[in-house]
Amino acid sequence: MSPTSNSEPSGVHELIAKRWSPREFLAKPVEPAKLLSVFEAARWASTCFNEQPSRYVTATKDDAAGFQRILGLLVEQNQTWARGAFLLGFSASKRTFTHNGAPNRFAPHDLGSASANLALEAVAQGLHTHFMGGFDAVRARAEFGIPDDFEIGAAFAVGYIDEAAVKPGARSRKSLSETTFGTDWGKAAGFMG
Amino acid sequence: MSPTSNSEPSGVHELIAKRWSPREFLAKPVEPAKLLSVFEAARWASTCFNEQPSRYVTATKDDAAGFQRILGLLVEQNQTWARGAFLLGFSASKRTFTHNGAPNRFAPHDLGSASANLALEAVAQGLHTHFMGGFDAVRARAEFGIPDDFEIGAAFAVGYIDEAAVKPGARSRKSLSETTFGTDWGKAAGFMG
């Protein structure tokens, strides 16, 4: 069992292999139709009881004031590069099931699924995304009037990069045998041979 | 703003459009190389601080006893169809950051992202997945010795279906204007025109 190490995706679809989180976005505007596809993709992820708890608050550079408001939520080291993206946003997920008001323990999980779809559709559209934990979720709630029944998720940037010039650095991941087990926790699944 | 309604994915990559959650799995074994790709895809989702909190406990029908143990965790109405799948499993996410031991509030979110990658890679491999909230996570922890530092996520099934015979029914989703806002919560983003 190898430790976490630099590696490249092996045997996976190019959408998944090509997704990474750049900092060097281009000022180039993103066509509205592409943004529609990116957020459309998020809607089609699976969710528990088809609750669809995910929501996105967004601003593009066409809304300079809104963009600055979201940018201002980010920690400074994220602001430095995120100001270059065309769209900034943050996600939220509904804490309760709409059909009965009970807590939905899968809401953050399902938000993560929706956002993975969003990130992969961005690749399909020639775009890139960068999700960020480093932002002030408490201020986001107050400044954007997020209802109490929604938990705030991650911030994110969307835009073009210069793919010829900007490449991911060394990519580090746990080995498959560290993440995917048989029925003995910590022991690699049998199909790994 | 249209209410939740039946619809089809529009303008998104076929991997995303074709993913759905069938119940009618075929007994046909899944090639180990395809399973490797499916779980490999999960590794490459983005995670906060590159923590990679996601883990999967799995059993295929080649491990009949293990398969039965996971099947037995599911609520009865899931057992009915899930026994037909080739692989059953459940996911878990590490509650704390390994680099400093602090709580990782993004762990369930990042698990959801990894599992969306898994589901989409399954489509790329000609497979389908079905994630389930309906299982006994408390018993799963006890019976499989899941460490306290891991939160249990969702159960899931992976396998082939007869794509010529088995089709998704009507698909219901919230409209894009109900999920994707500008900086005014609840109001559609400007790029929606």
Side-chain angles (χ1 to χ4, degrees):
Chain A
M1 191 177 298
S2 65
T4 300
S5 59
N6 294 338
S7 59
E8 291 298 322
S10 167
V12 300
H13 193 280
E14 64 169 5
L15 282 195
I16 292 166
K18 284 183 173 175
R19 188 214 59 77
W20 66 289
S21 301
R23 290 186 172 77
E24 306 82 355
F25 286 97
L26 297 175
K28 183 179 172 183
V30 178
E31 299 82 346
K34 293 193 172 190
L35 294 178
L36 286 172
S37 289
V38 164
F39 289 96
E40 170 76 1
R43 294 168 64 214
W44 292 95
S46 72
T47 64
C48 188
F49 278 112
N50 199 27
E51 169 63 31
Q52 309 168 62
S54 303
R55 304 290 186 276
Y56 297 95
V57 172
T58 70
T60 70
K61 283 198 165 142
D62 293 337
D63 169 15
F67 188 92
Q68 284 298 323
R69 285 178 66 202
I70 298 179
L71 185 67
L73 298 172
L74 306 181
V75 299
E76 213 170 287
Q77 64 264 45
N78 284 336
Q79 287 194 30
T80 308
W81 59 263
R83 69 179 73 248
F86 181 69
L87 181 145
L88 292 178
F90 62 87
S91 62
S93 63
K94 189 168 182 291
R95 301 182 204 266
T96 55
F97 285 112
T98 302
H99 70 282
N100 65 2
N104 178 4
R105 81 172 184 90
F106 291 101
H109 174 282
D110 292 350
L111 177 60
S113 294
S115 294
N117 270 25
L118 184 163
L120 295 175
E121 181 62 34
V123 174
Q125 298 291 340
L127 301 166
H128 279 80
T129 54
H130 191 138
F131 281 80
M132 295 163 261
F135 74 109
D136 191 333
V138 174
R139 259 183 57 211
R141 181 179 299 283
E143 293 189 12
F144 291 85
I146 311 306
D148 287 346
D149 196 27
F150 285 82
E151 178 173 339
I152 294 183
F156 60 100
V158 182
Y160 284 105
I161 65 170
D162 179 352
E163 293 197 40
V166 174
K167 307 283 184 194
R171 307 179 72 185
S172 162
R173 288 293 190 278
K174 293 182 194 301
S175 67
L176 196 52
S177 58
E178 290 174 295
T179 64
T180 307
F181 311 140
T183 53
D184 288 329
W185 181 265
K187 293 197 182 152
F191 58 77
M192 288 182 208
Chain B
M1 191 178 293
S2 65
T4 301
S5 59
N6 293 338
S7 59
E8 291 298 322
S10 167
V12 300
H13 193 278
E14 64 169 4
L15 281 195
I16 293 166
K18 284 183 174 174
R19 188 213 60 76
W20 67 288
S21 303
R23 290 184 172 79
E24 306 83 354
F25 287 97
L26 298 174
K28 183 179 172 185
V30 178
E31 299 82 344
K34 293 193 174 193
L35 293 178
L36 285 172
S37 289
V38 164
F39 289 96
E40 169 77 358
R43 294 169 63 215
W44 292 95
S46 72
T47 64
C48 188
F49 278 113
N50 199 27
E51 169 65 31
Q52 307 167 65
S54 303
R55 304 290 187 276
Y56 297 96
V57 172
T58 69
T60 70
K61 282 197 165 141
D62 292 337
D63 170 15
F67 188 92
Q68 285 298 324
R69 286 178 65 203
I70 297 179
L71 185 67
L73 299 173
L74 306 181
V75 297
E76 215 171 284
Q77 63 263 46
N78 285 335
Q79 287 193 29
T80 307
W81 59 263
R83 70 179 72 250
F86 181 69
L87 181 145
L88 292 178
F90 62 88
S91 62
S93 63
K94 189 167 183 289
R95 300 182 203 267
T96 55
F97 286 112
T98 301
H99 70 281
N100 65 3
N104 177 5
R105 82 172 183 91
F106 291 101
H109 173 282
D110 293 350
L111 176 60
S113 294
S115 293
N117 270 24
L118 185 164
L120 295 176
E121 182 61 35
V123 175
Q125 297 291 339
L127 302 166
H128 280 80
T129 54
H130 192 138
F131 281 80
M132 294 164 263
F135 74 109
D136 191 333
V138 174
R139 258 182 57 210
R141 180 180 300 283
E143 292 189 13
F144 291 85
I146 311 305
D148 289 343
D149 197 27
F150 285 82
E151 178 174 339
I152 295 183
F156 60 99
V158 182
Y160 284 105
I161 65 170
D162 178 351
E163 293 196 42
V166 175
K167 308 283 184 192
R171 308 180 72 186
S172 161
R173 288 293 189 279
K174 293 182 195 301
S175 67
L176 195 52
S177 58
E178 291 174 294
T179 65
T180 307
F181 310 141
T183 53
D184 288 330
W185 180 265
K187 293 196 182 150
F191 57 79
M192 288 183 208

